[in-house]
Amino acid sequence: MHPLALLGCLVALSHCALTTKVCPRPPEVLFATLNVDKKVYEVGEEVEYTCRPGFMPNSGQRKYTCLPTGKWAFNTLLCLPKRCPPPPPLQNGKMDFEEFQYQSTVTFSCDPGYNLVGSRMSQCMADGKWTGTFPQCQPVTCAPPSLPEFGVISFRRLHPGNVSHFLDTIQFECVPPLALIGNETATCMANGTWSSIPVCKVVNCPTPIGIENGFIEFAVRRTYHYNESVSFGCQPGFVMEGSKHSRCENTGNWSTKPVCRAPCKIPVKKAVVLYNGEKKRVQNDLKDGILHGETVSFFCKNKEKSCAYTVDAACVDGNFTLPACFKERGFFSTLVKKDPSEMKACEDEA
Ligand SMILES: *[C@@H]1O[C@H](CO)[C@@H](O)[C@H](O)[C@H]1NC(C)=O
Ligand SMILES: *[C@@H]1O[C@H](CO)[C@@H](O)[C@H](O)[C@H]1NC(C)=O
Ligand SMILES: *[C@@H]1O[C@H](CO)[C@@H](O)[C@H](O)[C@H]1NC(C)=O
Ligand SMILES: *[C@@H]1O[C@H](CO)[C@@H](O)[C@H](O)[C@H]1NC(C)=O
Ligand SMILES: *[C@@H]1O[C@H](CO)[C@@H](O)[C@H](O)[C@H]1NC(C)=O
Ligand SMILES: *[C@@H]1O[C@H](CO)[C@@H](O)[C@H](O)[C@H]1NC(C)=O
């Protein structure tokens, strides 16, 4: 270089830059550091970017050279946050998160009835791993119930094991003849207590009262205690509906008693009917009537077609309604006309 030119350079640095090119500081890349950090770089000088911890370079170039034009080559580097693997699902709980990358956090919580064991939070670290170990949700446990009337009430676990967990149930029993008042099953609740504990009490029922058209079998006039039962019967011809037995309940009331349903007289003097699939004469075979719930079929005549069809009628607790189509025959008609029960059956008559 000419000595004068050098002098000019010393006098005016800016002017010199126009003649002998240098590069300015290379562009900043987010989350990256430079190996050489200066204000001015000579042509041919090389810099290298390094991604900060927790970040990884994309496919872009990391090394750049100051070009004779005084510019850096187009920068293609990107530093992207490292990703942590998704945490495994939390049984009986949930995870709150937005992303699984460097510095993201995941918070853990458990469903009602479960306690979190371990850390509530984890963060994605620079090495792509989560801090700490993941927590677990362990079911709440319920202590065995304290039974005030010891020896009178007991319980048994319906799940194996010594410990009762959330939603486990136990079943209580009272020593006979005491009656259990309350709910016989209790559930371990989310807050570690039992849903309810019943009590055992002496319960008596009054002397049972008889039923209409029936009787109590072998009854003794006394009060009965809890869970004793009595049996009922019906008068002859009456049909029992409901359970034969009634039990003294823990309310001090008798359980529902049976009812006796009345038989029916068939309200005709003479007729041939179908009873249990066989032709019967009402005046002979069914003069005592039929039982509650039984059915007889009457023959009705279709005059136009000269045929007969049957219509059912049932006995309902002493009530019996003749079919409307049935005509009771007078003495004279029985002499001159065929009984409908002897006529040919109509093909498809209702
Ligand atoms: C239950 O308790 C008994 C006696 O306290 C003990 O020997 C047994 O190991 C326990 N079983 C469980 C499953 O914890
Ligand atoms: C008894 O308690 C259980 C829970 O342990 C509940 O599901 C049930 O409905 C209760 N029964 C009555 C009759 O209240
Ligand atoms: C537990 O929860 C039940 C119902 O949610 C509540 O009635 C009871 O008072 C609670 N017990 C305690 C000790 O918190
Ligand atoms: C009531 O009595 C019957 C036998 O008549 C018995 O099987 C049942 O276990 C008794 N129930 C209670 C709660 O004592
Ligand atoms: C028991 O009988 C009494 C008196 O008849 C009645 O008030 C009560 O409702 C009955 N209880 C039940 C559970 O039937
Ligand atoms: C029987 O008939 C009577 C009188 O018509 C009526 O009050 C009663 O409810 C009837 N019974 C049945 C079971 O239909």
Side-chain angles (χ1 to χ4, degrees):
M1 201 178 277
H2 193 277
L4 256 181
L6 185 65
L7 182 70
C9 274
L10 290 172
V11 169
L13 253 172
S14 62
H15 178 74
C16 180
L18 290 173
T19 51
T20 44
K21 300 273 186 186
V22 292
C23 287
R25 178 182 272 135
E28 233 179 81
V29 172
L30 215 54
F31 308 122
T33 52
L34 271 174
N35 60 340
V36 186
D37 191 10
K38 303 192 287 188
K39 279 207 177 91
V40 175
Y41 294 76
E42 313 260 334
V43 169
E45 208 175 336
E46 193 184 68
V47 294
E48 184 175 352
Y49 290 91
T50 306
C51 288
R52 291 201 187 143
F55 294 87
M56 299 223 299
N58 68 339
S59 54
Q61 202 178 317
R62 287 178 50 214
K63 287 182 177 169
Y64 295 88
T65 310
C66 174
L67 301 176
T69 56
K71 285 187 174 149
W72 297 96
F74 182 70
N75 195 307
T76 55
L77 180 68
L78 278 177
C79 287
L80 303 173
K82 281 193 190 164
R83 299 188 70 80
C84 280
L90 181 62
Q91 294 275 308
N92 301 309
K94 65 180 179 66
M95 298 185 285
D96 274 317
F97 55 83
E98 265 156 27
E99 287 184 277
F100 296 146
Q101 63 188 34
Y102 176 52
Q103 286 183 321
S104 299
T105 57
V106 180
T107 56
F108 303 94
S109 55
C110 291
D111 296 340
Y114 294 85
N115 290 329
L116 191 97
V117 179
S119 176
R120 265 188 195 281
M121 200 191 79
S122 186
Q123 191 167 29
C124 180
M125 297 187 293
D127 60 359
K129 291 186 180 137
W130 294 100
T131 55
T133 52
F134 295 122
Q136 286 187 321
C137 291
Q138 286 183 353
V140 163
T141 59
C142 281
S146 56
L147 302 174
E149 285 176 83
F150 181 73
V152 172
I153 186 168
S154 64
F155 68 87
R156 61 196 168 84
R157 290 189 166 88
L158 301 180
H159 297 265
N162 292 353
V163 188
S164 299
H165 290 126
F166 175 55
L167 294 183
D168 280 354
T169 53
I170 53 176
Q171 185 148 29
F172 294 96
E173 272 149 24
C174 289
V175 172
L178 297 180
L180 185 142
I181 310 292
N183 194 331
E184 65 170 9
T185 59
T187 305
C188 177
M189 296 191 297
N191 60 12
T193 63
W194 292 101
S195 55
S196 63
I197 295 173
V199 294
C200 296
K201 268 194 184 166
V202 174
V203 168
N204 288 310
C205 286
T207 305
I209 297 163
I211 55 173
E212 234 183 303
N213 302 309
F215 51 88
I216 304 174
E217 288 176 344
F218 325 114
V220 179
R221 284 196 60 84
R222 61 169 171 90
T223 59
Y224 286 72
H225 45 80
Y226 170 63
N227 204 28
E228 279 191 295
S229 68
V230 291
S231 304
F232 292 87
C234 286
Q235 305 295 353
F238 284 75
V239 172
M240 187 179 284
E241 239 180 45
S243 168
K244 184 175 164 63
H245 308 283
S246 178
R247 194 173 289 276
C248 176
E249 295 182 323
N250 65 0
T251 55
N253 291 358
W254 290 97
S255 68
T256 310
K257 295 167 184 171
V259 283
C260 295
R261 300 291 185 196
C264 299
K265 288 269 184 237
I266 296 176
V268 295
K269 288 204 186 73
K270 288 172 96 174
V272 174
V273 296
L274 279 180
Y275 176 71
N276 291 334
E278 284 173 35
K279 279 185 187 171
K280 298 282 182 192
R281 284 171 195 283
V282 168
Q283 62 276 27
N284 301 335
D285 307 318
L286 298 175
K287 60 176 185 290
D288 294 333
I290 58 171
L291 297 179
H292 164 75
E294 286 188 324
T295 297
V296 293
S297 306
F298 286 82
F299 290 93
C300 291
K301 194 160 79 180
N302 181 324
K303 273 193 185 133
E304 289 92 69
K305 296 184 183 164
S306 297
C307 61
Y309 56 95
T310 59
V311 176
D312 291 350
C315 172
V316 181
D317 194 17
N319 291 10
F320 188 89
T321 309
L322 285 172
C325 64
F326 174 77
K327 300 269 179 321
E328 194 170 359
R329 289 146 56 82
F331 172 71
F332 191 67
S333 104
T334 58
L335 293 181
V336 296
K337 285 186 184 157
K338 234 187 197 175
D339 189 83
S341 66
E342 261 133 53
M343 293 170 74
K344 74 174 169 71
C346 299
E347 306 249 297
D348 51 12
E349 201 72 44

